[in-house]
Amino acid sequence: GRAVVIGVVAVERVDGDRDLLAELADIFAEQSRDLIGALKTAVSTGDAAAVEHLAHTLRGSVANFGARVAVRTAHDLEMAGREGQLADAPRLLATLEEHMIGIQQALTYLIGAPDA
C-alpha cells in the first residue's frame, strides 16, 4: 500500500536510522501544519501568488518521502496559483491535507514498527 512505499523511501533516505526518521517526521509534521494553514488562508483570500509559493514549498517537502500523489496534487495547486485560477484550489487543498495525514501516519507506523 501507500504507507509501505512511503516507508521504503523514507527508510532508504535515512539509511535505516529510526531516530533520524523520527526527527524528520516531527519537522515534516510541523512544516506541513504551518504550510497547510497558510495555504488555507491564501486560498480563502484568493492570494494566487501565495498559493503558488506555498504549494511549491509543500511539494518539495512531500517529495522527500516519495509520496507521488501528494507531489502531483501540490503541483496542481501550484499551477492553479501560477495561473490565478483558484476555483479548484479548495478541492486540491483538501486532497493534499488528506495525503499529508497519510504520510504522517505512515511515518508514525514506521518509527514504531519492529525491525524486519
Side-chain angles (χ1 to χ4, degrees), residues 43-65:
V43 167
S44 67
T45 58
D47 187 343
V51 169
E52 180 187 359
H53 171 72
L54 291 161
H56 177 80
T57 305
L58 194 58
R59 180 161 61 95
S61 183
V62 292
N64 287 329
F65 295 101

Side-chain angles (χ1 to χ4, degrees), residues 31-90:
Q31 265 188 346
S32 53
R33 192 173 52 240
D34 292 348
L35 285 167
I36 292 282
L39 269 164
K40 283 179 177 171
T41 302
V43 167
S44 67
T45 58
D47 187 343
V51 169
E52 180 187 359
H53 171 72
L54 291 161
H56 177 80
T57 305
L58 194 58
R59 180 161 61 95
S61 183
V62 292
N64 287 329
F65 295 101
R68 282 195 302 267
V69 180
V71 170
R72 196 161 59 240
T73 306
H75 177 262
D76 290 347
L77 190 57
E78 184 185 345
M79 291 302 110
R82 181 173 300 171
E83 291 158 14
Q85 303 291 327
L86 297 183
D88 273 350

